[in-house]
Amino acid sequence: MQTDEADLLVYLRCNGVISKQQHGFLSRRSTSTNLLEVLRDWTLAINDKKGVHVAYIDYAGAFDTVSHAKLFHKLTAYSITATLLDWIKSLLSERTQQTRIGNSVSCSTVLTSGVIQGSVLGTLLFILFVNDLPDVNK
């Protein structure tokens, strides 16, 4: 079975898996659309004499911090199972990294976190990893 990452994203969006509050890394969504949406929410809250608390966080190195174990758990919760889940696990598991400074090379270490930056699949996996963040206070 061959699944195109764009098809997977369309499927996830059409089936309501991707949070409506997610603006990063999605077509027709951006920091600008996020700000327009929250400005409306803040205005409504202030008009109703409610308080507004805001925290914006820039996750430095965020793609590197995605725990594989937690990601696989979340993917299973989103009903991504069987062959597709096995393929994603195979892609991310037992990846190694080394550091080179001049002619010196460090020992190889197995990575237990991180998704592949610069790839459509890496971005999609990151979106799914942070997808439930808007639900934390519910």
Side-chain angles (χ1 to χ4, degrees):
M1 179 178 109
Q2 193 165 22
T3 301
D4 180 63
E5 296 90 2
D7 292 339
L8 181 57
L9 181 57
V10 168
Y11 171 82
L12 294 169
R13 289 180 87 175
C14 289
N15 287 283
V17 174
I18 302 294
S19 170
K20 292 185 187 322
Q21 285 97 1
Q22 175 64 27
H23 288 261
F25 309 109
L26 296 174
S27 63
R28 305 183 66 140
R29 305 295 293 244
S30 67
T31 54
S32 297
T33 60
N34 174 260
L35 289 172
L36 288 169
E37 189 174 296
V38 297
L39 180 59
R40 182 199 67 225
D41 295 344
W42 299 339
T43 302
L44 292 171
I46 291 169
N47 286 342
D48 291 342
K49 304 204 183 316
K50 295 179 181 174
V52 175
H53 300 276
V54 179
Y56 274 82
I57 302 167
D58 181 11
Y59 296 103
F63 278 65
D64 296 334
T65 63
V66 174
S67 161
H68 292 166
K70 290 178 184 176
L71 175 63
F72 301 149
H73 178 78
K74 287 184 178 193
L75 292 175
T76 302
Y78 292 133
S79 298
I80 297 172
T81 58
T83 304
L84 181 56
L85 182 62
D86 289 342
W87 181 79
I88 293 169
K89 284 181 176 181
S90 176
L91 177 70
L92 296 178
S93 296
E94 298 184 32
R95 295 179 67 85
T96 61
Q97 97 177 9
Q98 290 178 296
T99 302
R100 176 185 297 254
I101 300 175
N103 291 329
S104 299
V105 179
S106 70
C107 295
S108 180
T109 185
V110 175
L111 300 175
T112 58
S113 65
V115 293
I116 303 164
Q117 295 184 45
S119 69
V120 174
L121 186 60
T123 302
L124 178 59
L125 293 174
F126 180 76
I127 289 170
L128 290 170
F129 187 72
V130 299
N131 191 53
D132 58 351
L133 286 179
D135 301 329
V136 169
N137 287 329
K138 291 182 181 179

